[in-house]
Amino acid sequence: MPILVTHAETVSHRFSGTMGTIMVALVLLSAIMVVSAKTVSVIPQDAHPGYSVKKFKDSINFKLLDSDFSQFFTMLQDGSIMTVSDVSPLVDHPVDLMVLENKGNTSATHMLKLYVLDRRNMLSFKTDSNDEVLGRIMENSPTGTRVTGIPLLQAVSDSNSVPVTYSIIAGNSAQAFELQDSITGDVLPNVTITDLSGGVNIVSAQVLDREETARYVLSVQAVDPSGINRAVSNVVVEVEDENDNSPVFTQKVYRFVVGDDSLEGDNVTLTWKRFASIGKVEATDADGDKVAYKLATPTNFLVIVPQTGDLLLTQEPIEEIELELVVEAHDLRIPSRTSPRPAQVVFHFSPAVPKVDIDLDLQQLENVELHRIKRRVTRAVRPTKRIEFTETDGETEGRVVFQLEKETDRETFKIRDENPWVTVDPNGSVRVKKKWDYEELGPEKTIDFWVTITNAEKGGYLCLEGFIINSLR
């Protein structure tokens, strides 16, 4: 026989039956190599005949040797040891099984030691249930912040055995959490409790970043001094978002060209239509917030759609121009964060040259120029307005929730894009189109829409005005 190298390998299964619930802890003594320790709990009701207790890997020729306890077990050709009868009579009796491994010219003997425990003496967490134990912690909280929503973690048994050592054995990525002794307040990776009233809380071991890891699933283990009697509780920790990231533009400079395909740009348009997009800017927010845009440089030639970043040409210049504009982005949070570095927009416009026959007389040329001068002028966009209402204000379809302001009596109004929640009458009355549902309004809980304003006076003008209805509970 070869010299035995002794090591402990604890294996556990849980089962229960009519004669009570017990835990069987398995300790393997191997003759060839040392294997890392494992623990499995056993409860009688699951240990029906044919229940797998242990399987030897890479099995070739294994045999269970006769002993005082071998009558309760059998060994299959694949190396599995199974129960053949109720193991309740083995409670509180150490059980040794001998397994012979035949390797041809050599053989090895493995000792399988089982500890059978009464369920009443088994540790279990008070929080054990079918529901997830869910806790929350705000990102950027200082080290040592307790995870909220999780009750005191305590592993108890009817025998009131102490001390009990607690540790996080799985899911603790980058060692983000530690345990706090509920009695002394000490924070350690492993906490030993000697008082029956004590337990542990989960606290942060570092400053957490939700954008890096938003959810942790921790396995907290409690074990007695022998290392055999143990229990595990799974705890989910969600890291709550703080608005700690500002929008960042995907480009530092955007170049848009209209009317001249000989120039390079992010978007080149040969023809244009009033309020059609000639290109767009884009910013992203690492917090996942929606982003809104605004022109920091005033101009009568372009407007920006706050919700999309699209740039709209509002009027045709009468001569070639090149503008350098500044665009800012901000997230739709309260309080809001603005992009630390705005984007630069370079806009080049080349007006179309009218085709004139060479035999036109001077009067005809003057008429062409006069026609160009009499084009309608478009004014700049009016400031976006934010108006707050409760959900009950939008309960009645057709109700006027507020009135748009006129600068002159000749102004008329029209909603620019179809909106499921509101409509706008020509006189400026904003009405409920569909009953407002707070849950369907999205994370920002707003109703955003643009209104086109026209006026027939003095050749007429066209204007845009934006509105954000903030719905409250």
Side-chain angles (χ1 to χ4, degrees), residues 6 11 66 93 125 150 160 171 268 277 291-292 305 397 403 417:
T6 305
V11 185
D66 291 336
H93 295 284
F125 279 91
I150 299 177
N160 293 326
V268 178
S277 175
V291 179
V305 180
E397 295 182 2
Q403 189 76 28
D417 302 307

Side-chain angles (χ1 to χ4, degrees), residues 45-46 60 76 113 118 195 203 207 243 260 271 284 303 314 335 340 351-352 367 375 404 406 436:
Q45 68 186 34
D46 294 333
I60 298 176
L76 305 181
K113 183 177 287 291
D118 192 304
D195 191 317
V203 299
V207 177
N243 192 14
D260 189 348
T271 60
T284 59
V303 296
T314 57
N367 290 339
R375 288 182 182 272
L404 303 182
K406 292 185 177 182
W436 297 353

Side-chain angles (χ1 to χ4, degrees), residues 75-87:
M75 191 163 199
L76 305 181
Q77 291 183 351
D78 66 354
S80 297
I81 295 181
M82 294 185 175
T83 58
V84 295
S85 61
D86 182 17
V87 295

Side-chain angles (χ1 to χ4, degrees), residues 131-136 147-151 215-216 234-238:
D131 298 328
E132 270 189 346
V133 180
L134 178 62
R136 302 180 185 277
V147 178
T148 61
I150 299 177
R215 192 171 188 265
Y216 297 82
N234 292 323
V235 176
V236 176
V237 179
E238 291 187 349

Side-chain angles (χ1 to χ4, degrees), residues 146-279:
R146 179 180 170 181
V147 178
T148 61
I150 299 177
L152 182 67
L153 297 176
Q154 289 180 300
V156 297
S157 66
D158 288 353
S159 64
N160 293 326
S161 60
V162 287
V164 176
T165 299
Y166 297 83
S167 59
I168 303 174
I169 61 173
N172 196 13
S173 176
Q175 303 304 304
F177 299 95
E178 289 185 321
L179 301 176
Q180 183 180 49
D181 189 320
S182 65
I183 297 176
T184 66
D186 294 338
V187 176
L188 298 166
N190 302 296
V191 174
T192 299
I193 301 295
T194 58
D195 191 317
L196 291 174
S197 64
V200 293
N201 295 305
I202 299 177
V203 299
S204 61
Q206 57 186 261
V207 177
L208 304 177
D209 185 354
R210 177 185 174 275
E211 285 66 53
E212 182 177 334
T213 305
R215 192 171 188 265
Y216 297 82
V217 181
L218 307 177
S219 295
V220 180
Q221 175 181 265
V223 62
D224 70 356
S226 71
I228 298 172
N229 191 2
R230 62 185 65 199
V232 175
S233 179
N234 292 323
V235 176
V236 176
V237 179
E238 291 187 349
V239 182
E240 296 187 317
D241 184 34
E242 181 183 49
N243 192 14
D244 56 346
N245 290 282
S246 300
V248 177
F249 282 97
T250 57
Q251 297 178 210
K252 296 179 180 179
V253 179
Y254 296 84
R255 182 177 293 273
F256 304 115
V257 178
V258 174
D260 189 348
D261 59 0
S262 66
L263 299 177
E264 293 184 356
D266 296 294
N267 192 61
V268 178
T269 307
L270 297 182
T271 60
W272 72 282
K273 181 181 179 181
R274 179 170 281 110
F275 295 120
S277 175
I278 63 167

